[in-house]
Amino acid sequence: MQGLAKALAAQLGELSQAGLLKGAESVLCGVIAPRDGYGPRYLVEGEGDKPFLRMNANNYLGMSLRKEVIAAEEETATKFGAGPGAVRFISGTWSPHVGLERRLAAFHSRRSAIIFSSAYAAIMGLIPQLVSKQTAVISDELNHNCIINAISLAAPAEKRIYKHLDMGELERCLDEVAKSCARAIIVTDGVFSMRGDHAPLDRIMTLARSRDNAFAEGAIVVVDDSHGVGALGATGRGAEEYSRSAPVDILVATLGKAFGVNGGYVVGEEILIRYLRERSPFYVYSNPITPAEAAAAHKAIDVLDSPNGLSLLEHLRSMTARFKAGLVRLGFETLPGEHPVAPLVTRDSARTVALVEHLRRRGILVTGLTYPVVPRGDEEIRFQISADHTGADIDAALEALAEMAESKAPAARASKL
């Protein structure tokens, strides 16, 4: 191992010099229940009994701490055990897996659904299975890393990257690849995780349908809406609902963000799901989520798809609006919109680091994105609002930010990141 260790140490050194090391992870070691008008607080290893407000989690609806979701997981673990036992085609399918897939299909008004160990695995197990020797893949330039890696693994005949949300360039890409390809796959995030903006799925679907006849096997739209489902739209159906789009051809999402559990899934036509069960290696050769996780996710969907869920969504929108309005009032730059990802745009790496450290001293956990992780001038702090947060929580965060706001801050504006 000595030679390998030396090579790996050199590569880590290069990452450090480039500013790309993520460094030590914060270790959460306890949860303090909501009290006195504040939401839950978290204990961090090495910080003693200091409570932290968590504003860097994807738990948009607070489902991971809901008693009924926890109870569903505990009851099912007692009934079926802690793990699935094997991959599903051998012996790993349990009734909670099947029940969850049926519930997901119904929730999204689709014919069928398939669950994966994560949404990352779902994308990696989906896109390469859709790519033939005559397939073109066309992707938004800000798509998630899982989409980028899935396209690389798929090695399509043609690959095009269009400027973020640029429908004119997407149209030109479709027309270009129609000259040589039998199938086109347009792939995009529903909500872009670093910014909280969303793809115009209504326009993308209209464009795809207008080009179907240009391809012998059609123009297919694949959307990863992991940050949208459960966080955006009047009933939490995500970017489809928010943009009033026709149902996209293939929808991918996660159980590990707004639903608060673990795993990913794909919904679509029955023939597609049957094919993935036979051919997707990330499904065939990988254990599923546990039966208990499946039951917990099923319960979280039931909660969202109820009057209580509508109340959670309303509260989430209210807290998001309160926080973004506060950023503007303090003179910070942010992106408008209803999604609970609320970027505070600093446009400066040193200021980003200083703000993150200040907030941590004040008991607030956030994530800063600096150059070269993002382009120079696009540095930001990504705040993530949750239905767990109360008005007092939002005001506490804004109070801490006010201490660092520049006295002569420029008027806040809608960012063009």
Side-chain angles (χ1 to χ4, degrees):
M1 287 292 292
Q2 290 181 354
L4 177 61
K6 183 178 179 180
L8 297 180
Q11 291 182 40
L12 286 171
E14 292 173 4
L15 289 173
S16 179
Q17 290 181 358
L20 294 173
L21 274 185
K22 296 176 179 62
E25 300 169 356
S26 294
V27 178
L28 304 181
C29 54
V31 182
I32 301 172
R35 63 187 181 193
D36 302 327
Y38 292 95
R41 292 295 187 270
Y42 296 81
L43 300 177
V44 178
E45 189 175 89
E47 298 281 358
D49 59 358
K50 179 179 180 178
F52 283 85
L53 171 62
R54 199 177 181 200
M55 299 191 77
N56 58 355
N58 300 318
N59 186 29
Y60 296 122
L61 294 176
M63 290 289 186
S64 67
L65 293 177
R66 290 189 69 87
K67 292 181 179 179
E68 62 266 53
V69 175
I70 295 171
E73 185 160 3
E74 290 177 341
E75 291 167 7
T76 308
T78 299
K79 183 176 181 180
F80 293 107
V87 298
R88 290 178 67 173
F89 86 94
I90 294 176
S91 66
T93 291
W94 296 84
S95 57
H97 296 135
V98 177
L100 174 59
E101 288 171 337
R102 291 171 178 164
R103 185 67 178 92
L104 286 165
F107 180 78
H108 288 291
S109 300
R110 296 312 206 277
R111 296 278 186 178
S112 195
I114 180 174
I115 53 175
F116 287 80
S117 58
S118 68
Y120 202 112
I123 282 287
M124 293 294 289
L126 169 70
I127 290 177
Q129 308 314 309
L130 301 179
V131 172
S132 69
K133 293 180 180 180
Q134 289 185 295
T135 298
V137 177
I138 308 171
S139 176
D140 189 290
E141 66 177 344
L142 294 189
N143 277 340
H144 190 268
N145 176 271
C146 65
I147 294 175
I148 295 169
N149 282 341
I151 295 172
S152 178
L153 179 63
E158 296 281 355
K159 180 180 75 172
R160 297 288 189 277
I161 308 298
Y162 61 92
K163 292 178 181 178
H164 184 51
L165 307 183
D166 189 331
M167 295 298 98
E169 186 168 3
L170 172 57
E171 183 174 10
R172 289 192 293 274
C173 289
L174 279 168
D175 290 341
E176 288 174 6
V177 299
K179 300 172 185 177
S180 59
C181 293
R183 182 188 308 169
I185 297 173
I186 303 166
V187 59
T188 181
D189 283 345
V191 169
F192 294 86
S193 60
M194 293 297 105
R195 304 158 48 91
D197 58 347
H198 68 280
L201 298 185
D202 53 337
R203 296 169 62 192
I204 291 175
M205 286 299 295
T206 298
L207 182 56
R209 293 295 79 88
S210 74
R211 294 301 191 276
D212 265 331
N213 292 335
F215 299 90
E217 297 175 0
I220 311 302
V221 177
V222 176
V223 175
D224 182 344
D225 204 21
S226 291
H227 282 272
V229 173
L232 196 64
T235 65
R237 262 68 175 184
E240 271 186 346
E241 182 176 44
Y242 190 77
S243 63
R244 299 181 180 179
S245 166
V248 302
D249 299 309
I250 304 172
L251 179 67
V252 181
T254 185
L255 303 167
K257 293 182 171 57
F259 292 132
V261 190
N262 186 39
Y265 62 92
V266 178
V267 294
E269 292 297 324
E270 193 269 341
I271 189 66
L272 167 74
I273 303 306
R274 279 176 49 207
Y275 182 78
L276 292 176
R277 291 193 197 280
E278 295 292 335
R279 298 298 298 167
S280 176
F282 287 81
Y283 173 85
V284 175
Y285 300 109
S286 182
N287 274 14
I289 61 176
T290 69
E293 288 174 321
H298 195 145
K299 176 59 69 173
I301 297 167
D302 288 344
V303 172
L304 173 58
D305 204 19
S306 73
N308 194 10
L310 296 179
S311 296
L312 287 173
L313 287 166
E314 182 179 357
H315 177 69
L316 178 62
R317 286 191 288 268
S318 175
M319 293 301 98
T320 300
R322 185 177 186 139
F323 183 70
K324 290 187 176 181
L327 291 181
V328 173
R329 186 175 65 252
L330 293 173
F332 290 109
E333 182 180 354
T334 189
L335 279 169
E338 292 186 11
H339 193 273
V341 166
L344 187 163
V345 185
T346 64
R347 303 195 182 280
D348 180 84
S349 290
R351 180 156 175 75
T352 301
V353 171
L355 276 168
V356 170
E357 291 177 349
H358 167 73
L359 290 167
R360 189 179 179 98
R361 289 193 297 271
R362 294 281 267 109
I364 302 169
L365 300 175
V366 296
T367 299
L369 303 170
T370 59
Y371 175 83
V373 175
V374 295
R376 197 184 299 276
D378 285 353
E379 295 88 349
E380 67 171 75
I381 297 173
R382 182 177 71 167
F383 288 85
Q384 290 166 279
I385 311 303
S386 170
D388 269 346
H389 294 152
T390 68
D393 293 329
I394 299 300
D395 292 345
L398 292 171
E399 180 181 340
L401 284 169
E403 297 170 0
M404 291 287 285
E406 296 175 356
S407 58
K408 295 182 180 181
R413 62 190 185 279
S415 175
K416 295 183 179 179
L417 274 177

